[in-house]
Amino acid sequence: MSGNFEQKEFEVLCKEHRKYIEEIRFRWLPNNQIESTRVYEIMYPHEQERVHQKISEWEKYITPISEAWWKERGYGVVWPENNTDPVGYYRLKDT
């Protein structure tokens, strides 16, 4: 029974986290957007490189914020090596 409760609690936390990160991203984006009239697939190589740079900057910015948020709620985060893989979470041991 407690496993089911923990799963529901975790699902609620995931929704709260998503909202929290979206609010931060909303404030971060205006100063960090790429100016282009082209979609990514037809951008010039230097424009695509700039897009990758901004994605990297966002990851460096948001990662410690996200990890701290989860830690305050008793969870650790395992970041995948490939961004197409899901993020992993684990319950921190009570100390």
Side-chain angles (χ1 to χ4, degrees):
M1 191 73 140
S2 66
N4 192 24
F5 174 77
E6 288 178 13
Q7 180 63 31
K8 289 187 185 297
E9 175 189 14
F10 181 75
E11 289 171 6
V12 169
L13 287 174
C14 285
K15 288 178 185 177
E16 290 175 7
H17 180 259
R18 188 176 311 116
K19 184 177 182 217
Y20 174 70
I21 297 302
E22 286 173 0
E23 290 171 2
I24 293 171
R25 188 169 183 261
F26 180 77
R27 291 190 306 269
W28 185 85
L29 272 177
N31 298 321
N32 292 282
Q33 292 205 344
I34 305 300
E35 305 250 348
S36 178
T37 57
R38 293 179 262 298
V39 294
Y40 179 82
E41 291 77 11
I42 61 170
M43 284 181 171
Y44 295 118
H46 72 276
E47 291 175 311
Q48 288 181 346
E49 180 57 37
R50 187 78 177 116
V51 169
H52 291 283
Q53 181 182 8
K54 282 299 177 183
I55 291 170
S56 179
E57 289 173 13
W58 168 249
E59 290 172 350
K60 289 176 185 170
Y61 175 75
I62 201 61
T63 296
I65 294 170
S66 183
E67 288 174 347
W69 190 94
W70 280 107
K71 186 175 183 179
E72 288 176 8
R73 287 149 184 86
Y75 287 87
V77 180
V78 179
W79 300 105
E81 297 212 10
N82 183 331
N83 282 342
T84 61
D85 294 334
V87 175
Y89 302 93
Y90 60 94
R91 191 79 159 130
L92 298 173
K93 294 186 173 102
D94 296 327
T95 55

Short mmCIF file of all heavy atoms in Angstrom, two decimals, residues 56-85:
data_model
loop_
_atom_site.label_atom_id
_atom_site.label_comp_id
_atom_site.label_asym_id
_atom_site.label_seq_id
_atom_site.Cartn_x
_atom_site.Cartn_y
_atom_site.Cartn_z
N SER A 56 22.99 24.06 -24.39
CA SER A 56 24.01 23.73 -23.39
C SER A 56 23.99 24.73 -22.23
O SER A 56 24.10 24.34 -21.06
CB SER A 56 25.38 23.70 -24.04
OG SER A 56 26.37 23.41 -23.10
N GLU A 57 23.85 26.01 -22.54
CA GLU A 57 23.77 27.03 -21.49
C GLU A 57 22.56 26.80 -20.58
O GLU A 57 22.65 26.94 -19.36
CB GLU A 57 23.72 28.43 -22.11
CG GLU A 57 25.02 28.86 -22.74
CD GLU A 57 24.90 30.18 -23.49
OE1 GLU A 57 23.88 30.89 -23.34
OE2 GLU A 57 25.83 30.50 -24.26
N TRP A 58 21.42 26.45 -21.19
CA TRP A 58 20.22 26.17 -20.40
C TRP A 58 20.46 24.97 -19.49
O TRP A 58 20.12 25.02 -18.30
CB TRP A 58 19.02 25.91 -21.31
CG TRP A 58 17.84 25.35 -20.59
CD1 TRP A 58 17.33 24.09 -20.70
CD2 TRP A 58 17.02 26.02 -19.61
NE1 TRP A 58 16.25 23.94 -19.86
CE2 TRP A 58 16.04 25.10 -19.18
CE3 TRP A 58 17.02 27.29 -19.06
CZ2 TRP A 58 15.07 25.43 -18.23
CZ3 TRP A 58 16.05 27.61 -18.11
CH2 TRP A 58 15.10 26.69 -17.70
N GLU A 59 21.05 23.91 -20.01
CA GLU A 59 21.32 22.72 -19.20
C GLU A 59 22.23 23.05 -18.03
O GLU A 59 21.99 22.60 -16.90
CB GLU A 59 21.92 21.62 -20.06
CG GLU A 59 20.94 21.02 -21.05
CD GLU A 59 21.58 20.06 -22.03
OE1 GLU A 59 22.83 19.97 -22.10
OE2 GLU A 59 20.83 19.38 -22.76
N LYS A 60 23.27 23.83 -18.26
CA LYS A 60 24.19 24.22 -17.18
C LYS A 60 23.50 25.10 -16.14
O LYS A 60 23.80 25.02 -14.96
CB LYS A 60 25.41 24.94 -17.75
CG LYS A 60 26.33 24.03 -18.51
CD LYS A 60 27.47 24.80 -19.14
CE LYS A 60 28.32 23.88 -19.99
NZ LYS A 60 29.28 24.61 -20.80
N TYR A 61 22.57 25.91 -16.60
CA TYR A 61 21.86 26.82 -15.70
C TYR A 61 20.83 26.06 -14.85
O TYR A 61 20.77 26.23 -13.64
CB TYR A 61 21.16 27.90 -16.53
CG TYR A 61 20.29 28.83 -15.73
CD1 TYR A 61 20.85 29.82 -14.93
CD2 TYR A 61 18.91 28.73 -15.78
CE1 TYR A 61 20.05 30.67 -14.19
CE2 TYR A 61 18.11 29.58 -15.05
CZ TYR A 61 18.68 30.55 -14.25
OH TYR A 61 17.88 31.40 -13.52
N ILE A 62 20.04 25.22 -15.51
CA ILE A 62 18.89 24.61 -14.82
C ILE A 62 19.25 23.37 -14.01
O ILE A 62 18.56 23.05 -13.04
CB ILE A 62 17.76 24.32 -15.83
CG1 ILE A 62 16.42 24.18 -15.12
CG2 ILE A 62 18.07 23.10 -16.68
CD1 ILE A 62 15.97 25.41 -14.37
N THR A 63 20.31 22.67 -14.37
CA THR A 63 20.65 21.42 -13.68
C THR A 63 20.80 21.59 -12.17
O THR A 63 20.14 20.88 -11.41
CB THR A 63 21.90 20.78 -14.31
OG1 THR A 63 21.59 20.42 -15.65
CG2 THR A 63 22.34 19.55 -13.54
N PRO A 64 21.64 22.52 -11.68
CA PRO A 64 21.76 22.62 -10.21
C PRO A 64 20.47 23.10 -9.54
O PRO A 64 20.18 22.71 -8.41
CB PRO A 64 22.90 23.62 -10.01
CG PRO A 64 23.07 24.32 -11.30
CD PRO A 64 22.56 23.42 -12.37
N ILE A 65 19.70 23.91 -10.24
CA ILE A 65 18.42 24.38 -9.68
C ILE A 65 17.46 23.20 -9.53
O ILE A 65 16.82 23.03 -8.48
CB ILE A 65 17.81 25.47 -10.59
CG1 ILE A 65 18.70 26.71 -10.57
CG2 ILE A 65 16.39 25.80 -10.17
CD1 ILE A 65 18.34 27.76 -11.61
N SER A 66 17.39 22.38 -10.57
CA SER A 66 16.51 21.21 -10.54
C SER A 66 16.96 20.20 -9.48
O SER A 66 16.13 19.67 -8.72
CB SER A 66 16.50 20.56 -11.93
OG SER A 66 15.61 19.48 -11.96
N GLU A 67 18.24 19.95 -9.42
CA GLU A 67 18.76 19.00 -8.42
C GLU A 67 18.46 19.47 -7.00
O GLU A 67 18.09 18.67 -6.14
CB GLU A 67 20.25 18.78 -8.62
CG GLU A 67 20.56 17.98 -9.86
CD GLU A 67 22.05 17.87 -10.16
OE1 GLU A 67 22.85 18.62 -9.56
OE2 GLU A 67 22.40 17.04 -11.01
N ALA A 68 18.62 20.76 -6.75
CA ALA A 68 18.33 21.30 -5.42
C ALA A 68 16.85 21.16 -5.08
O ALA A 68 16.48 20.83 -3.94
CB ALA A 68 18.77 22.76 -5.34
N TRP A 69 15.98 21.41 -6.06
CA TRP A 69 14.54 21.29 -5.85
C TRP A 69 14.19 19.87 -5.44
O TRP A 69 13.46 19.66 -4.47
CB TRP A 69 13.80 21.68 -7.13
CG TRP A 69 12.32 21.82 -6.96
CD1 TRP A 69 11.63 22.97 -6.69
CD2 TRP A 69 11.34 20.78 -7.06
NE1 TRP A 69 10.29 22.70 -6.62
CE2 TRP A 69 10.08 21.35 -6.84
CE3 TRP A 69 11.41 19.41 -7.31
CZ2 TRP A 69 8.89 20.63 -6.86
CZ3 TRP A 69 10.22 18.68 -7.33
CH2 TRP A 69 8.99 19.28 -7.11
N TRP A 70 14.71 18.89 -6.17
CA TRP A 70 14.42 17.49 -5.85
C TRP A 70 15.03 17.09 -4.50
O TRP A 70 14.40 16.36 -3.72
CB TRP A 70 14.92 16.57 -6.95
CG TRP A 70 13.97 16.53 -8.11
CD1 TRP A 70 14.14 17.10 -9.33
CD2 TRP A 70 12.68 15.90 -8.14
NE1 TRP A 70 13.04 16.87 -10.12
CE2 TRP A 70 12.12 16.13 -9.41
CE3 TRP A 70 11.94 15.16 -7.22
CZ2 TRP A 70 10.87 15.64 -9.78
CZ3 TRP A 70 10.69 14.68 -7.58
CH2 TRP A 70 10.17 14.92 -8.85
N LYS A 71 16.24 17.56 -4.22
CA LYS A 71 16.89 17.21 -2.96
C LYS A 71 16.08 17.70 -1.76
O LYS A 71 15.94 16.98 -0.77
CB LYS A 71 18.30 17.80 -2.91
CG LYS A 71 19.09 17.35 -1.70
CD LYS A 71 20.51 17.86 -1.75
CE LYS A 71 21.29 17.34 -0.55
NZ LYS A 71 22.68 17.80 -0.57
N GLU A 72 15.52 18.90 -1.87
CA GLU A 72 14.68 19.43 -0.79
C GLU A 72 13.48 18.54 -0.52
O GLU A 72 12.91 18.57 0.57
CB GLU A 72 14.19 20.83 -1.13
CG GLU A 72 15.24 21.90 -1.07
CD GLU A 72 14.73 23.26 -1.52
OE1 GLU A 72 13.51 23.41 -1.73
OE2 GLU A 72 15.56 24.17 -1.65
N ARG A 73 13.09 17.77 -1.50
CA ARG A 73 11.92 16.90 -1.39
C ARG A 73 12.29 15.44 -1.18
O ARG A 73 11.44 14.55 -1.25
CB ARG A 73 11.03 17.08 -2.61
CG ARG A 73 10.33 18.43 -2.55
CD ARG A 73 10.07 19.02 -3.92
NE ARG A 73 9.48 20.34 -3.79
CZ ARG A 73 10.20 21.47 -3.65
NH1 ARG A 73 11.51 21.43 -3.61
NH2 ARG A 73 9.60 22.64 -3.53
N GLY A 74 13.59 15.20 -0.97
CA GLY A 74 14.04 13.85 -0.62
C GLY A 74 14.41 12.95 -1.77
O GLY A 74 14.44 11.73 -1.60
N TYR A 75 14.72 13.54 -2.93
CA TYR A 75 15.07 12.73 -4.09
C TYR A 75 16.39 13.18 -4.70
O TYR A 75 16.75 14.36 -4.64
CB TYR A 75 13.99 12.83 -5.18
CG TYR A 75 12.73 12.09 -4.84
CD1 TYR A 75 11.71 12.70 -4.11
CD2 TYR A 75 12.56 10.76 -5.23
CE1 TYR A 75 10.56 12.01 -3.78
CE2 TYR A 75 11.41 10.07 -4.91
CZ TYR A 75 10.40 10.70 -4.19
OH TYR A 75 9.26 10.02 -3.86
N GLY A 76 17.08 12.23 -5.30
CA GLY A 76 18.25 12.52 -6.10
C GLY A 76 17.90 12.33 -7.57
O GLY A 76 16.91 11.68 -7.91
N VAL A 77 18.72 12.90 -8.44
CA VAL A 77 18.47 12.84 -9.88
C VAL A 77 19.64 12.15 -10.57
O VAL A 77 20.79 12.41 -10.25
CB VAL A 77 18.30 14.27 -10.46
CG1 VAL A 77 18.03 14.22 -11.95
CG2 VAL A 77 17.21 15.04 -9.72
N VAL A 78 19.32 11.28 -11.52
CA VAL A 78 20.33 10.64 -12.35
C VAL A 78 20.08 11.12 -13.78
O VAL A 78 19.07 10.78 -14.39
CB VAL A 78 20.23 9.10 -12.30
CG1 VAL A 78 21.28 8.47 -13.21
CG2 VAL A 78 20.37 8.61 -10.86
N TRP A 79 21.00 11.94 -14.27
CA TRP A 79 20.85 12.49 -15.63
C TRP A 79 21.34 11.47 -16.64
O TRP A 79 22.40 10.89 -16.48
CB TRP A 79 21.63 13.79 -15.76
CG TRP A 79 21.18 14.83 -14.80
CD1 TRP A 79 21.81 15.23 -13.66
CD2 TRP A 79 19.97 15.59 -14.85
NE1 TRP A 79 21.08 16.19 -13.01
CE2 TRP A 79 19.94 16.43 -13.72
CE3 TRP A 79 18.90 15.64 -15.74
CZ2 TRP A 79 18.89 17.31 -13.46
CZ3 TRP A 79 17.86 16.52 -15.49
CH2 TRP A 79 17.86 17.34 -14.36
N PRO A 80 20.57 11.26 -17.71
CA PRO A 80 21.00 10.30 -18.73
C PRO A 80 22.15 10.86 -19.55
O PRO A 80 22.33 12.07 -19.66
CB PRO A 80 19.74 10.14 -19.59
CG PRO A 80 19.02 11.43 -19.45
CD PRO A 80 19.30 11.90 -18.04
N GLU A 81 22.93 9.97 -20.12
CA GLU A 81 24.02 10.40 -20.99
C GLU A 81 23.48 10.92 -22.32
O GLU A 81 24.09 11.76 -22.95
CB GLU A 81 24.99 9.25 -21.21
CG GLU A 81 25.65 8.82 -19.91
CD GLU A 81 27.04 8.32 -20.11
OE1 GLU A 81 27.60 8.48 -21.20
OE2 GLU A 81 27.57 7.77 -19.14
N ASN A 82 22.34 10.42 -22.72
CA ASN A 82 21.72 10.81 -23.98
C ASN A 82 20.40 11.50 -23.66
O ASN A 82 19.58 10.95 -22.92
CB ASN A 82 21.49 9.56 -24.82
CG ASN A 82 20.92 9.85 -26.18
OD1 ASN A 82 20.21 10.83 -26.38
ND2 ASN A 82 21.21 9.00 -27.12
N ASN A 83 20.17 12.68 -24.21
CA ASN A 83 18.95 13.43 -23.90
C ASN A 83 17.67 12.76 -24.37
O ASN A 83 16.58 13.21 -24.02
CB ASN A 83 19.04 14.84 -24.49
CG ASN A 83 19.91 15.74 -23.65
OD1 ASN A 83 20.19 15.46 -22.49
ND2 ASN A 83 20.36 16.84 -24.23
N THR A 84 17.77 11.71 -25.17
CA THR A 84 16.57 11.00 -25.58
C THR A 84 16.13 9.98 -24.52
O THR A 84 15.03 9.46 -24.59
CB THR A 84 16.76 10.30 -26.94
OG1 THR A 84 17.81 9.34 -26.81
CG2 THR A 84 17.10 11.31 -28.03
N ASP A 85 17.01 9.69 -23.56
CA ASP A 85 16.68 8.75 -22.49
C ASP A 85 16.02 9.51 -21.33
O ASP A 85 16.26 10.70 -21.14
CB ASP A 85 17.94 8.06 -21.99
CG ASP A 85 18.56 7.15 -23.03
OD1 ASP A 85 17.81 6.66 -23.91
OD2 ASP A 85 19.78 6.94 -22.98
#
